[in-house]
PDB file of all heavy atoms in Angstrom:
ATOM      1  N   PHE T   1      87.783 -99.184 -14.842  1.00 81.00           N
ATOM      2  CA  PHE T   1      87.156 -99.859 -15.981  1.00 81.00           C
ATOM      3  C   PHE T   1      85.689 -99.462 -16.108  1.00 81.00           C
ATOM      4  O   PHE T   1      85.023 -99.806 -17.094  1.00 81.00           O
ATOM      5  CB  PHE T   1      87.260-101.385 -15.821  1.00 81.00           C
ATOM      6  CG  PHE T   1      88.640-101.911 -16.131  1.00 81.00           C
ATOM      7  CD1 PHE T   1      89.548-102.137 -15.111  1.00 81.00           C
ATOM      8  CD2 PHE T   1      89.037-102.171 -17.435  1.00 81.00           C
ATOM      9  CE1 PHE T   1      90.818-102.620 -15.379  1.00 81.00           C
ATOM     10  CE2 PHE T   1      90.296-102.651 -17.721  1.00 81.00           C
ATOM     11  CZ  PHE T   1      91.202-102.879 -16.690  1.00 81.00           C
ATOM     12  N   GLU T   2      85.199 -98.760 -15.102  1.00 82.00           N
ATOM     13  CA  GLU T   2      83.817 -98.293 -15.145  1.00 82.00           C
ATOM     14  C   GLU T   2      83.752 -96.968 -15.904  1.00 82.00           C
ATOM     15  O   GLU T   2      84.770 -96.413 -16.319  1.00 82.00           O
ATOM     16  CB  GLU T   2      83.286 -98.128 -13.714  1.00 82.00           C
ATOM     17  CG  GLU T   2      83.401 -99.378 -12.856  1.00 82.00           C
ATOM     18  CD  GLU T   2      82.682-100.570 -13.448  1.00 82.00           C
ATOM     19  OE1 GLU T   2      81.618-100.367 -14.076  1.00 82.00           O
ATOM     20  OE2 GLU T   2      83.181-101.703 -13.295  1.00 82.00           O
ATOM     21  N   ARG T   3      82.547 -96.463 -16.056  1.00 79.00           N
ATOM     22  CA  ARG T   3      82.353 -95.188 -16.763  1.00 79.00           C
ATOM     23  C   ARG T   3      83.050 -94.064 -16.004  1.00 79.00           C
ATOM     24  O   ARG T   3      83.006 -94.004 -14.774  1.00 79.00           O
ATOM     25  CB  ARG T   3      80.856 -94.889 -16.871  1.00 79.00           C
ATOM     26  CG  ARG T   3      80.522 -93.592 -17.594  1.00 79.00           C
ATOM     27  CD  ARG T   3      79.010 -93.347 -17.596  1.00 79.00           C
ATOM     28  NE  ARG T   3      78.680 -92.089 -18.233  1.00 79.00           N
ATOM     29  CZ  ARG T   3      78.512 -91.919 -19.544  1.00 79.00           C
ATOM     30  NH1 ARG T   3      78.589 -92.951 -20.358  1.00 79.00           N
ATOM     31  NH2 ARG T   3      78.216 -90.729 -20.041  1.00 79.00           N
ATOM     32  N   ASP T   4      83.722 -93.184 -16.739  1.00 75.00           N
ATOM     33  CA  ASP T   4      84.368 -92.047 -16.070  1.00 75.00           C
ATOM     34  C   ASP T   4      84.099 -90.782 -16.869  1.00 75.00           C
ATOM     35  O   ASP T   4      83.678 -90.829 -18.028  1.00 75.00           O
ATOM     36  CB  ASP T   4      85.882 -92.271 -15.939  1.00 75.00           C
ATOM     37  CG  ASP T   4      86.606 -92.213 -17.278  1.00 75.00           C
ATOM     38  OD1 ASP T   4      86.869 -91.085 -17.736  1.00 75.00           O
ATOM     39  OD2 ASP T   4      86.915 -93.286 -17.864  1.00 75.00           O
ATOM     40  N   GLU T   5      84.390 -89.643 -16.202  1.00 82.00           N
ATOM     41  CA  GLU T   5      84.133 -88.346 -16.820  1.00 82.00           C
ATOM     42  C   GLU T   5      85.421 -87.538 -16.996  1.00 82.00           C
ATOM     43  O   GLU T   5      85.374 -86.349 -17.292  1.00 82.00           O
ATOM     44  CB  GLU T   5      83.147 -87.542 -15.951  1.00 82.00           C
ATOM     45  CG  GLU T   5      81.828 -88.247 -15.683  1.00 82.00           C
ATOM     46  CD  GLU T   5      81.031 -88.541 -16.956  1.00 82.00           C
ATOM     47  OE1 GLU T   5      81.174 -87.748 -17.924  1.00 82.00           O
ATOM     48  OE2 GLU T   5      80.305 -89.559 -16.980  1.00 82.00           O
ATOM     49  N   VAL T   6      86.585 -88.186 -16.797  1.00 87.00           N
ATOM     50  CA  VAL T   6      87.835 -87.426 -16.805  1.00 87.00           C
ATOM     51  C   VAL T   6      88.757 -87.797 -17.961  1.00 87.00           C
ATOM     52  O   VAL T   6      89.741 -87.102 -18.215  1.00 87.00           O
ATOM     53  CB  VAL T   6      88.600 -87.621 -15.471  1.00 87.00           C
ATOM     54  CG1 VAL T   6      87.788 -87.082 -14.311  1.00 87.00           C
ATOM     55  CG2 VAL T   6      88.972 -89.083 -15.256  1.00 87.00           C
ATOM     56  N   TYR T   7      88.440 -88.873 -18.667  1.00 85.00           N
ATOM     57  CA  TYR T   7      89.366 -89.349 -19.704  1.00 85.00           C
ATOM     58  C   TYR T   7      88.613 -89.574 -21.001  1.00 85.00           C
ATOM     59  O   TYR T   7      87.612 -90.292 -21.041  1.00 85.00           O
ATOM     60  CB  TYR T   7      90.025 -90.657 -19.246  1.00 85.00           C
ATOM     61  CG  TYR T   7      91.113 -91.162 -20.182  1.00 85.00           C
ATOM     62  CD1 TYR T   7      92.409 -90.677 -20.087  1.00 85.00           C
ATOM     63  CD2 TYR T   7      90.844 -92.123 -21.156  1.00 85.00           C
ATOM     64  CE1 TYR T   7      93.412 -91.138 -20.931  1.00 85.00           C
ATOM     65  CE2 TYR T   7      91.826 -92.587 -22.017  1.00 85.00           C
ATOM     66  CZ  TYR T   7      93.110 -92.092 -21.889  1.00 85.00           C
ATOM     67  OH  TYR T   7      94.098 -92.542 -22.723  1.00 85.00           O
ATOM     68  N   ASN T   8      89.095 -88.940 -22.060  1.00 89.00           N
ATOM     69  CA  ASN T   8      88.493 -89.095 -23.379  1.00 89.00           C
ATOM     70  C   ASN T   8      89.316 -90.114 -24.162  1.00 89.00           C
ATOM     71  O   ASN T   8      90.447 -89.839 -24.589  1.00 89.00           O
ATOM     72  CB  ASN T   8      88.474 -87.751 -24.107  1.00 89.00           C
ATOM     73  CG  ASN T   8      87.792 -87.848 -25.465  1.00 89.00           C
ATOM     74  OD1 ASN T   8      87.418 -88.935 -25.925  1.00 89.00           O
ATOM     75  ND2 ASN T   8      87.617 -86.698 -26.119  1.00 89.00           N
ATOM     76  N   GLN T   9      88.765 -91.305 -24.364  1.00 91.00           N
ATOM     77  CA  GLN T   9      89.520 -92.373 -25.003  1.00 91.00           C
ATOM     78  C   GLN T   9      89.896 -92.039 -26.456  1.00 91.00           C
ATOM     79  O   GLN T   9      90.892 -92.554 -26.989  1.00 91.00           O
ATOM     80  CB  GLN T   9      88.742 -93.680 -24.939  1.00 91.00           C
ATOM     81  CG  GLN T   9      88.542 -94.160 -23.496  1.00 91.00           C
ATOM     82  CD  GLN T   9      88.101 -95.601 -23.403  1.00 91.00           C
ATOM     83  OE1 GLN T   9      88.468 -96.409 -24.248  1.00 91.00           O
ATOM     84  NE2 GLN T   9      87.326 -95.909 -22.373  1.00 91.00           N
ATOM     85  N   ALA T  10      89.142 -91.153 -27.074  1.00 92.00           N
ATOM     86  CA  ALA T  10      89.459 -90.755 -28.454  1.00 92.00           C
ATOM     87  C   ALA T  10      90.790 -90.018 -28.543  1.00 92.00           C
ATOM     88  O   ALA T  10      91.417 -89.971 -29.615  1.00 92.00           O
ATOM     89  CB  ALA T  10      88.330 -89.883 -29.009  1.00 92.00           C
ATOM     90  N   ASP T  11      91.264 -89.435 -27.402  1.00 92.00           N
ATOM     91  CA  ASP T  11      92.552 -88.740 -27.399  1.00 92.00           C
ATOM     92  C   ASP T  11      93.705 -89.687 -27.741  1.00 92.00           C
ATOM     93  O   ASP T  11      94.756 -89.253 -28.219  1.00 92.00           O
ATOM     94  CB  ASP T  11      92.822 -88.116 -26.029  1.00 92.00           C
ATOM     95  CG  ASP T  11      91.901 -86.933 -25.750  1.00 92.00           C
ATOM     96  OD1 ASP T  11      91.278 -86.424 -26.705  1.00 92.00           O
ATOM     97  OD2 ASP T  11      91.813 -86.520 -24.577  1.00 92.00           O
ATOM     98  N   ALA T  12      93.509 -90.978 -27.498  1.00 94.00           N
ATOM     99  CA  ALA T  12      94.575 -91.951 -27.744  1.00 94.00           C
ATOM    100  C   ALA T  12      94.951 -92.033 -29.225  1.00 94.00           C
ATOM    101  O   ALA T  12      96.089 -92.367 -29.565  1.00 94.00           O
ATOM    102  CB  ALA T  12      94.160 -93.330 -27.227  1.00 94.00           C
ATOM    103  N   THR T  13      94.012 -91.714 -30.103  1.00 96.00           N
ATOM    104  CA  THR T  13      94.289 -91.820 -31.545  1.00 96.00           C
ATOM    105  C   THR T  13      95.438 -90.916 -31.963  1.00 96.00           C
ATOM    106  O   THR T  13      96.400 -91.358 -32.611  1.00 96.00           O
ATOM    107  CB  THR T  13      93.025 -91.478 -32.353  1.00 96.00           C
ATOM    108  OG1 THR T  13      91.976 -92.365 -31.974  1.00 96.00           O
ATOM    109  CG2 THR T  13      93.305 -91.612 -33.846  1.00 96.00           C
ATOM    110  N   GLY T  14      95.358 -89.654 -31.583  1.00 95.00           N
ATOM    111  CA  GLY T  14      96.424 -88.719 -31.931  1.00 95.00           C
ATOM    112  C   GLY T  14      97.746 -89.083 -31.272  1.00 95.00           C
ATOM    113  O   GLY T  14      98.818 -88.965 -31.896  1.00 95.00           O
ATOM    114  N   PHE T  15      97.666 -89.524 -30.033  1.00 96.00           N
ATOM    115  CA  PHE T  15      98.885 -89.918 -29.328  1.00 96.00           C
ATOM    116  C   PHE T  15      99.590 -91.060 -30.058  1.00 96.00           C
ATOM    117  O   PHE T  15     100.803 -91.023 -30.296  1.00 96.00           O
ATOM    118  CB  PHE T  15      98.541 -90.328 -27.897  1.00 96.00           C
ATOM    119  CG  PHE T  15      99.655 -91.060 -27.195  1.00 96.00           C
ATOM    120  CD1 PHE T  15     100.780 -90.381 -26.756  1.00 96.00           C
ATOM    121  CD2 PHE T  15      99.591 -92.433 -26.989  1.00 96.00           C
ATOM    122  CE1 PHE T  15     101.815 -91.052 -26.119  1.00 96.00           C
ATOM    123  CE2 PHE T  15     100.618 -93.119 -26.357  1.00 96.00           C
ATOM    124  CZ  PHE T  15     101.734 -92.424 -25.925  1.00 96.00           C
ATOM    125  N   ILE T  16      98.829 -92.081 -30.421  1.00 97.00           N
ATOM    126  CA  ILE T  16      99.433 -93.242 -31.091  1.00 97.00           C
ATOM    127  C   ILE T  16      99.982 -92.849 -32.458  1.00 97.00           C
ATOM    128  O   ILE T  16     101.048 -93.322 -32.869  1.00 97.00           O
ATOM    129  CB  ILE T  16      98.408 -94.384 -31.208  1.00 97.00           C
ATOM    130  CG1 ILE T  16      98.015 -94.878 -29.809  1.00 97.00           C
ATOM    131  CG2 ILE T  16      98.962 -95.544 -32.034  1.00 97.00           C
ATOM    132  CD1 ILE T  16      96.833 -95.826 -29.796  1.00 97.00           C
ATOM    133  N   ASN T  17      99.272 -91.966 -33.163  1.00 97.00           N
ATOM    134  CA  ASN T  17      99.760 -91.514 -34.475  1.00 97.00           C
ATOM    135  C   ASN T  17     101.125 -90.838 -34.352  1.00 97.00           C
ATOM    136  O   ASN T  17     102.037 -91.077 -35.149  1.00 97.00           O
ATOM    137  CB  ASN T  17      98.764 -90.557 -35.113  1.00 97.00           C
ATOM    138  CG  ASN T  17      97.543 -91.280 -35.666  1.00 97.00           C
ATOM    139  OD1 ASN T  17      97.593 -92.480 -35.941  1.00 97.00           O
ATOM    140  ND2 ASN T  17      96.440 -90.547 -35.823  1.00 97.00           N
ATOM    141  N   LEU T  18     101.275 -89.974 -33.360  1.00 96.00           N
ATOM    142  CA  LEU T  18     102.553 -89.289 -33.165  1.00 96.00           C
ATOM    143  C   LEU T  18     103.620 -90.229 -32.601  1.00 96.00           C
ATOM    144  O   LEU T  18     104.773 -90.208 -33.034  1.00 96.00           O
ATOM    145  CB  LEU T  18     102.370 -88.092 -32.233  1.00 96.00           C
ATOM    146  CG  LEU T  18     101.556 -86.928 -32.807  1.00 96.00           C
ATOM    147  CD1 LEU T  18     101.375 -85.835 -31.768  1.00 96.00           C
ATOM    148  CD2 LEU T  18     102.236 -86.369 -34.048  1.00 96.00           C
ATOM    149  N   PHE T  19     103.247 -91.053 -31.651  1.00 97.00           N
ATOM    150  CA  PHE T  19     104.193 -91.978 -31.029  1.00 97.00           C
ATOM    151  C   PHE T  19     104.713 -92.984 -32.061  1.00 97.00           C
ATOM    152  O   PHE T  19     105.879 -93.387 -32.029  1.00 97.00           O
ATOM    153  CB  PHE T  19     103.501 -92.709 -29.866  1.00 97.00           C
ATOM    154  CG  PHE T  19     104.438 -93.485 -28.982  1.00 97.00           C
ATOM    155  CD1 PHE T  19     105.428 -92.847 -28.259  1.00 97.00           C
ATOM    156  CD2 PHE T  19     104.322 -94.864 -28.867  1.00 97.00           C
ATOM    157  CE1 PHE T  19     106.287 -93.560 -27.441  1.00 97.00           C
ATOM    158  CE2 PHE T  19     105.178 -95.594 -28.046  1.00 97.00           C
ATOM    159  CZ  PHE T  19     106.163 -94.938 -27.331  1.00 97.00           C
ATOM    160  N   GLY T  20     103.854 -93.360 -32.978  1.00 97.00           N
ATOM    161  CA  GLY T  20     104.236 -94.345 -33.990  1.00 97.00           C
ATOM    162  C   GLY T  20     104.750 -93.750 -35.278  1.00 97.00           C
ATOM    163  O   GLY T  20     105.078 -94.492 -36.217  1.00 97.00           O
ATOM    164  N   LEU T  21     104.839 -92.404 -35.365  1.00 97.00           N
ATOM    165  CA  LEU T  21     105.259 -91.756 -36.604  1.00 97.00           C
ATOM    166  C   LEU T  21     106.644 -92.220 -37.080  1.00 97.00           C
ATOM    167  O   LEU T  21     106.824 -92.490 -38.274  1.00 97.00           O
ATOM    168  CB  LEU T  21     105.224 -90.231 -36.440  1.00 97.00           C
ATOM    169  CG  LEU T  21     105.539 -89.413 -37.707  1.00 97.00           C
ATOM    170  CD1 LEU T  21     104.573 -89.759 -38.845  1.00 97.00           C
ATOM    171  CD2 LEU T  21     105.488 -87.913 -37.386  1.00 97.00           C
ATOM    172  N   PRO T  22     107.664 -92.333 -36.202  1.00 98.00           N
ATOM    173  CA  PRO T  22     108.967 -92.823 -36.689  1.00 98.00           C
ATOM    174  C   PRO T  22     108.879 -94.203 -37.331  1.00 98.00           C
ATOM    175  O   PRO T  22     109.562 -94.481 -38.321  1.00 98.00           O
ATOM    176  CB  PRO T  22     109.830 -92.850 -35.418  1.00 98.00           C
ATOM    177  CG  PRO T  22     109.207 -91.830 -34.523  1.00 98.00           C
ATOM    178  CD  PRO T  22     107.733 -91.964 -34.776  1.00 98.00           C
ATOM    179  N   LEU T  23     108.038 -95.072 -36.774  1.00 97.00           N
ATOM    180  CA  LEU T  23     107.882 -96.411 -37.349  1.00 97.00           C
ATOM    181  C   LEU T  23     107.237 -96.334 -38.735  1.00 97.00           C
ATOM    182  O   LEU T  23     107.636 -97.043 -39.671  1.00 97.00           O
ATOM    183  CB  LEU T  23     107.039 -97.279 -36.419  1.00 97.00           C
ATOM    184  CG  LEU T  23     107.609 -97.542 -35.014  1.00 97.00           C
ATOM    185  CD1 LEU T  23     106.600 -98.314 -34.181  1.00 97.00           C
ATOM    186  CD2 LEU T  23     108.925 -98.284 -35.102  1.00 97.00           C
ATOM    187  N   LYS T  24     106.226 -95.434 -38.855  1.00 97.00           N
ATOM    188  CA  LYS T  24     105.543 -95.277 -40.131  1.00 97.00           C
ATOM    189  C   LYS T  24     106.495 -94.735 -41.194  1.00 97.00           C
ATOM    190  O   LYS T  24     106.545 -95.241 -42.328  1.00 97.00           O
ATOM    191  CB  LYS T  24     104.352 -94.336 -39.952  1.00 97.00           C
ATOM    192  CG  LYS T  24     103.564 -94.093 -41.232  1.00 97.00           C
ATOM    193  CD  LYS T  24     102.368 -93.172 -40.954  1.00 97.00           C
ATOM    194  CE  LYS T  24     101.580 -92.902 -42.237  1.00 97.00           C
ATOM    195  NZ  LYS T  24     100.411 -92.026 -41.970  1.00 97.00           N
ATOM    196  N   VAL T  25     107.276 -93.706 -40.836  1.00 97.00           N
ATOM    197  CA  VAL T  25     108.211 -93.101 -41.789  1.00 97.00           C
ATOM    198  C   VAL T  25     109.249 -94.122 -42.232  1.00 97.00           C
ATOM    199  O   VAL T  25     109.605 -94.217 -43.415  1.00 97.00           O
ATOM    200  CB  VAL T  25     108.891 -91.868 -41.168  1.00 97.00           C
ATOM    201  CG1 VAL T  25     110.032 -91.367 -42.055  1.00 97.00           C
ATOM    202  CG2 VAL T  25     107.868 -90.757 -40.941  1.00 97.00           C
ATOM    203  N   ARG T  26     109.758 -94.918 -41.310  1.00 97.00           N
ATOM    204  CA  ARG T  26     110.759 -95.935 -41.649  1.00 97.00           C
ATOM    205  C   ARG T  26     110.163 -96.995 -42.577  1.00 97.00           C
ATOM    206  O   ARG T  26     110.814 -97.434 -43.540  1.00 97.00           O
ATOM    207  CB  ARG T  26     111.293 -96.581 -40.374  1.00 97.00           C
ATOM    208  CG  ARG T  26     112.389 -97.626 -40.615  1.00 97.00           C
ATOM    209  CD  ARG T  26     113.038 -98.038 -39.289  1.00 97.00           C
ATOM    210  NE  ARG T  26     114.104 -98.995 -39.506  1.00 97.00           N
ATOM    211  CZ  ARG T  26     113.958-100.316 -39.481  1.00 97.00           C
ATOM    212  NH1 ARG T  26     112.746-100.838 -39.262  1.00 97.00           N
ATOM    213  NH2 ARG T  26     114.978-101.131 -39.674  1.00 97.00           N
ATOM    214  N   ALA T  27     108.937 -97.408 -42.300  1.00 97.00           N
ATOM    215  CA  ALA T  27     108.287 -98.413 -43.147  1.00 97.00           C
ATOM    216  C   ALA T  27     108.084 -97.893 -44.568  1.00 97.00           C
ATOM    217  O   ALA T  27     108.298 -98.619 -45.552  1.00 97.00           O
ATOM    218  CB  ALA T  27     106.956 -98.826 -42.528  1.00 97.00           C
ATOM    219  N   LEU T  28     107.703 -96.608 -44.692  1.00 97.00           N
ATOM    220  CA  LEU T  28     107.528 -96.012 -46.022  1.00 97.00           C
ATOM    221  C   LEU T  28     108.856 -95.933 -46.775  1.00 97.00           C
ATOM    222  O   LEU T  28     108.925 -96.178 -47.984  1.00 97.00           O
ATOM    223  CB  LEU T  28     106.910 -94.623 -45.877  1.00 97.00           C
ATOM    224  CG  LEU T  28     105.454 -94.585 -45.402  1.00 97.00           C
ATOM    225  CD1 LEU T  28     105.023 -93.151 -45.102  1.00 97.00           C
ATOM    226  CD2 LEU T  28     104.528 -95.223 -46.437  1.00 97.00           C
ATOM    227  N   MET T  29     109.922 -95.587 -46.038  1.00 96.00           N
ATOM    228  CA  MET T  29     111.238 -95.524 -46.661  1.00 96.00           C
ATOM    229  C   MET T  29     111.667 -96.892 -47.176  1.00 96.00           C
ATOM    230  O   MET T  29     112.182 -97.023 -48.307  1.00 96.00           O
ATOM    231  CB  MET T  29     112.263 -94.991 -45.642  1.00 96.00           C
ATOM    232  CG  MET T  29     113.713 -94.970 -46.126  1.00 96.00           C
ATOM    233  SD  MET T  29     114.582 -96.568 -45.955  1.00 96.00           S
ATOM    234  CE  MET T  29     114.663 -96.731 -44.197  1.00 96.00           C
ATOM    235  N   LYS T  30     111.494 -97.921 -46.375  1.00 96.00           N
ATOM    236  CA  LYS T  30     111.895 -99.275 -46.769  1.00 96.00           C
ATOM    237  C   LYS T  30     111.126 -99.739 -48.009  1.00 96.00           C
ATOM    238  O   LYS T  30     111.693-100.368 -48.914  1.00 96.00           O
ATOM    239  CB  LYS T  30     111.678-100.245 -45.603  1.00 96.00           C
ATOM    240  CG  LYS T  30     112.665-100.051 -44.461  1.00 96.00           C
ATOM    241  CD  LYS T  30     112.319-100.898 -43.243  1.00 96.00           C
ATOM    242  CE  LYS T  30     112.509-102.374 -43.539  1.00 96.00           C
ATOM    243  NZ  LYS T  30     112.228-103.198 -42.328  1.00 96.00           N
ATOM    244  N   LYS T  31     109.838 -99.386 -48.038  1.00 95.00           N
ATOM    245  CA  LYS T  31     109.023 -99.778 -49.187  1.00 95.00           C
ATOM    246  C   LYS T  31     109.493 -99.075 -50.447  1.00 95.00           C
ATOM    247  O   LYS T  31     109.636 -99.689 -51.525  1.00 95.00           O
ATOM    248  CB  LYS T  31     107.556 -99.454 -48.913  1.00 95.00           C
ATOM    249  CG  LYS T  31     106.613 -99.920 -50.011  1.00 95.00           C
ATOM    250  CD  LYS T  31     105.153 -99.665 -49.631  1.00 95.00           C
ATOM    251  CE  LYS T  31     104.221-100.164 -50.730  1.00 95.00           C
ATOM    252  NZ  LYS T  31     102.793 -99.927 -50.379  1.00 95.00           N
ATOM    253  N   GLU T  32     109.780 -97.776 -50.329  1.00 95.00           N
ATOM    254  CA  GLU T  32     110.225 -97.001 -51.478  1.00 95.00           C
ATOM    255  C   GLU T  32     111.596 -97.451 -51.964  1.00 95.00           C
ATOM    256  O   GLU T  32     111.897 -97.463 -53.162  1.00 95.00           O
ATOM    257  CB  GLU T  32     110.255 -95.515 -51.111  1.00 95.00           C
ATOM    258  CG  GLU T  32     110.594 -94.605 -52.287  1.00 95.00           C
ATOM    259  CD  GLU T  32     110.485 -93.132 -51.924  1.00 95.00           C
ATOM    260  OE1 GLU T  32     109.756 -92.824 -50.956  1.00 95.00           O
ATOM    261  OE2 GLU T  32     111.137 -92.313 -52.589  1.00 95.00           O
ATOM    262  N   ALA T  33     112.456 -97.849 -51.016  1.00 97.00           N
ATOM    263  CA  ALA T  33     113.818 -98.276 -51.366  1.00 97.00           C
ATOM    264  C   ALA T  33     113.898 -99.741 -51.744  1.00 97.00           C
ATOM    265  O   ALA T  33     114.964-100.235 -52.117  1.00 97.00           O
ATOM    266  CB  ALA T  33     114.760 -97.994 -50.196  1.00 97.00           C
ATOM    267  N   GLY T  34     112.811-100.454 -51.611  1.00 96.00           N
ATOM    268  CA  GLY T  34     112.790-101.869 -51.953  1.00 96.00           C
ATOM    269  C   GLY T  34     113.485-102.744 -50.927  1.00 96.00           C
ATOM    270  O   GLY T  34     113.993-103.821 -51.242  1.00 96.00           O
ATOM    271  N   ILE T  35     113.527-102.270 -49.694  1.00 95.00           N
ATOM    272  CA  ILE T  35     114.151-103.046 -48.604  1.00 95.00           C
ATOM    273  C   ILE T  35     113.086-103.897 -47.937  1.00 95.00           C
ATOM    274  O   ILE T  35     112.017-103.400 -47.561  1.00 95.00           O
ATOM    275  CB  ILE T  35     114.800-102.109 -47.575  1.00 95.00           C
ATOM    276  CG1 ILE T  35     115.872-101.248 -48.239  1.00 95.00           C
ATOM    277  CG2 ILE T  35     115.402-102.922 -46.421  1.00 95.00           C
ATOM    278  CD1 ILE T  35     116.452-100.191 -47.315  1.00 95.00           C
TER     279      ILE T  35
END
């Protein structure tokens, strides 16, 4: 939890975007289909 020099917390953004992509695509489909 202290300061470190080995982990870039900004890397998590891309990871979450890709990890959550199926959820995003499904949500867009439901909205378009009126579900």
Side-chain angles (χ1 to χ4, degrees):
F1 284 96
E2 305 302 325
R3 180 183 178 85
D4 69 81
E5 303 299 330
V6 297
Y7 186 84
N8 183 354
Q9 296 195 32
D11 290 345
T13 302
F15 166 74
I16 296 170
N17 285 338
L18 291 177
F19 191 63
L21 185 58
L23 298 175
K24 180 178 179 179
V25 171
R26 182 170 182 268
L28 291 172
M29 176 277 293
K30 289 173 68 177
K31 184 176 181 180
E32 185 174 337
I35 300 174

